[in-house]
Amino acid sequence: MTVTQDLSFITLIANASLLVQLVMLLLLGVSLTSWTYIFSKMFAVKKAREQTEEFERTFWSGGSLVELYQVVSSNHRNNMTKTGALERIFEAGMNEYHKVKAISKTNMDPGAMLDGARRAMRAAYQREMDTLETHLSFLASVGSVSPYVGLFGTVWGIMNAFRGLANVQQATLAAVAPGIAEALIATAIGLFAAIPAVLAYNRYTHEIDRLAIHFETFIEEFSNILQRQSR
């Protein structure tokens, strides 16, 4: 009589060796964490892009920069979520510009005012970029390491499967198939964790780079405006 072995995923995972099960559990936890960061980063990048586009439209609409600065400062004080990254960069530049202008009323140095505003905007730019790039290194690590972790579990499981043949008088494929199948699941889980992480990392890196270009361009253009006003 031929006995059909149960090769379902749940059975294979349950019958896997302890080390292979630990590898699978680790990869599953990494995958869940990765998906959490993927979705949170998706919403964060989308929100940053929309806020940047909205502020650029407002900034170049031709209104008063002083009034715009007052609105941005008020929103920033009342609720951080109302202000975007580009608004905070603009606020940092205007704030430093007015501080230096107030200090040097008697002997106004346009170069010092412009340099102070530019440094403040660059510092704000670095803070915003650091916030946007949060968790990207984790996604990159998951994408590069997870397949090797899964491969380690597979190698260990296959090694145990072949070691089990030592106690069998007649080696058959049916005897070794369950062990190989349960070992290959580790590689599959590793790829399941790595592929979305790599795709998300590449996508968000591209989106953040585009935002960085917007920020740097704005800093240069706004610096030119301040330079003209300080003359």
Side-chain angles (χ1 to χ4, degrees):
M1 180 177 64
T2 302
V3 179
T4 303
Q5 298 185 13
D6 187 1
L7 296 180
S8 63
F9 282 101
I10 296 177
T11 302
L12 291 174
I13 293 174
N15 294 333
S17 63
L18 178 61
L19 181 60
V20 176
Q21 288 179 339
L22 291 176
V23 169
M24 294 178 183
L25 183 62
L26 173 63
L27 290 173
L28 182 60
V30 168
S31 178
L32 292 176
T33 305
S34 176
W35 278 105
T36 301
Y37 289 155
I38 287 172
F39 284 111
S40 64
K41 186 60 63 177
M42 178 181 67
F43 293 125
V45 171
K46 180 181 178 182
K47 183 178 180 181
R49 184 174 62 250
E50 292 175 348
Q51 289 176 330
T52 298
E53 293 173 352
E54 181 180 358
F55 180 74
E56 284 183 330
R57 287 193 297 268
T58 303
F59 181 85
W60 295 111
S61 62
S64 172
L65 292 181
V66 176
E67 294 179 359
L68 179 60
Y69 170 66
Q70 293 174 348
V71 172
V72 172
S73 299
S74 177
N75 291 338
H76 193 177
R77 287 192 301 268
N78 296 332
N79 192 346
M80 281 285 294
T81 59
K82 290 184 179 180
T83 59
L86 194 58
E87 292 174 87
R88 290 188 287 271
I89 293 173
F90 164 77
E91 182 187 12
M94 284 291 288
N95 188 38
E96 185 65 22
Y97 180 81
H98 287 308
K99 282 183 179 180
V100 177
K101 186 176 182 180
I103 294 174
S104 57
K105 284 184 178 180
T106 57
N107 186 17
M108 186 177 298
D109 185 1
M113 290 169 28
L114 182 62
D115 290 341
R118 188 189 296 272
R119 286 195 300 268
M121 287 190 288
R122 296 299 302 184
Y125 164 81
Q126 292 298 334
R127 289 193 296 269
E128 298 300 334
M129 292 304 300
D130 184 64
T131 301
L132 286 172
E133 292 174 353
T134 303
H135 304 315
L136 283 184
S137 59
F138 178 82
L139 294 178
S141 299
V142 171
S144 60
V145 174
S146 293
Y148 295 103
V149 176
L151 183 61
F152 169 75
T154 297
V155 171
W156 188 270
I158 292 176
M159 182 180 66
N160 285 337
F162 281 107
R163 285 176 60 189
L165 293 178
N167 300 323
V168 179
Q169 294 181 352
Q170 184 177 2
T172 61
L173 182 60
V176 75
I180 295 177
E182 68 190 27
L184 290 174
I185 293 178
T187 297
I189 297 177
L191 293 175
F192 177 77
I195 293 174
V198 171
L199 293 176
Y201 173 81
N202 293 334
R203 174 64 178 178
Y204 297 146
T205 299
H206 174 69
E207 292 289 338
I208 292 173
D209 286 343
R210 292 180 60 187
L211 285 173
I213 293 174
H214 279 278
F215 296 161
E216 291 178 337
T217 303
F218 175 82
I219 290 174
E220 295 302 320
E221 292 174 336
F222 185 45
S223 297
N224 293 332
I225 294 174
L226 293 179
Q227 185 177 19
R228 290 194 296 268
Q229 290 186 350
S230 62
R231 290 177 179 176

